[in-house]
Amino acid sequence: EISTLQKEIGVTTIYVTHDQVEAMTIGDRVAVLRRGELLQFAEPQEIYDRPGNLFVAGFIGSPPMNLVEAELSRANGGFRLTLGERQVALGEEVETAALEDYAGRTVVAGIRPESLEDAALVPDAPEGRRLRGVVTLREALGSDALVYFAVEGSRGLASHVRDLAHDIEDPAQLEELERDTRQATFVGRFHPHTRVRAGEPVEVAIQPGALTLFDPETGHRL
């Protein structure tokens, strides 16, 4: 109703909301603010596809982008990430020149849930674009299935990085996160006919161009 009314009246409108779904569906352009600072201003799809920092990446999207710490290293003239026990090759999603200063360092890797799929349904997915984990939860939605899985050896975000991503200000909550050494849990939006079940191992294919990298100290996209 709001969107229809705005188009009928034909006037510039500023709409303020804490609901990211409202912002994405109503706005022609979206401004994301955090603590009074403008973090990103762009068309909704641009913000979704190319979040400018960790907060935007963790806020926009339902479920939000998977964020996990990973080691970046050089390999075969390019770069790769160590996610848990797997080596994931970086391709068209990154500019090589932008990563030169980060080789051998920890970065934050972001992957949208819809960019992950049951590898059994993508038999041609290369070995260098796969993850292995154990399914912890499956939510059947009819049109698709949300599958949560833990990747052995992977690391969740350190507390100060989670603060950048999720705007955590409560000292007690930060202290609790600092003690949390659990492995990272991913969520994938799988085809509804996937046969994976909770408690079972799963191999997951990462779509080309799916990875977004962030600086863990500043939170900015690389």
Side-chain angles (χ1 to χ4, degrees):
E1 291 296 327
I2 293 173
S3 183
T4 300
L5 181 62
Q6 192 271 338
K7 288 179 171 58
E8 289 177 352
I9 296 175
V11 297
T12 300
T13 305
I14 298 177
Y15 184 83
V16 181
T17 177
H18 293 283
D19 187 327
Q20 55 101 357
V21 175
E22 281 188 350
M24 295 288 286
T25 55
I26 293 177
D28 297 306
R29 286 179 293 176
V30 175
V32 182
L33 294 96
R34 176 179 184 256
R35 301 180 185 176
E37 178 185 357
L38 178 62
L39 299 183
Q40 192 167 357
F41 179 55
E43 295 181 356
Q45 197 62 46
E46 172 71 10
I47 286 179
Y48 186 84
D49 292 338
R50 296 175 59 82
N53 55 48
L54 283 171
F55 179 79
V56 177
F59 181 67
I60 299 297
S62 182
M65 178 179 280
N66 296 291
L67 298 171
V68 61
E69 291 188 9
E71 298 294 330
L72 180 68
S73 58
R74 291 185 177 88
N76 302 321
F79 290 88
R80 67 185 179 189
L81 288 175
T82 301
L83 288 170
E85 299 177 347
R86 303 305 300 272
Q87 304 286 330
V88 178
L90 296 179
E92 61 190 55
E93 59 261 76
V94 296
E95 296 181 12
T96 302
L99 300 183
E100 289 295 339
D101 294 337
Y102 289 87
R105 295 169 54 187
T106 296
V107 298
V108 176
I111 312 173
R112 291 285 182 195
E114 60 271 22
S115 296
L116 299 173
E117 180 58 273
D118 180 358
L121 303 177
V122 193
D124 58 344
E127 187 67 20
R129 301 287 294 191
R130 296 183 180 221
L131 294 174
R132 288 196 180 99
V134 176
V135 177
T136 58
L137 178 67
R138 170 178 170 160
E139 296 178 344
L141 302 179
S143 59
D144 47 37
L146 295 181
V147 177
Y148 297 78
F149 60 97
V151 175
E152 185 174 351
S154 62
R155 299 197 310 273
L157 302 183
S159 60
H160 75 282
V161 183
R162 291 199 190 190
D163 189 26
L164 288 172
H166 302 297
D167 205 11
I168 300 169
E169 296 179 304
D170 184 351
Q173 189 175 7
L174 282 173
E175 184 179 350
E176 180 181 348
L177 289 174
E178 191 67 52
R179 296 194 301 267
D180 187 357
T181 58
R182 293 176 300 177
Q183 57 195 3
T185 297
F186 293 74
V187 55
R189 192 180 292 276
F190 288 7
H191 190 281
H193 294 158
T194 178
R195 296 185 177 182
V196 301
R197 296 291 184 271
E200 296 180 354
V202 63
E203 189 167 36
V204 180
I206 304 174
Q207 293 182 6
L211 289 159
T212 303
L213 304 183
F214 302 89
D215 185 311
E217 299 301 324
T218 66
H220 295 155
R221 178 170 55 84
L222 303 184

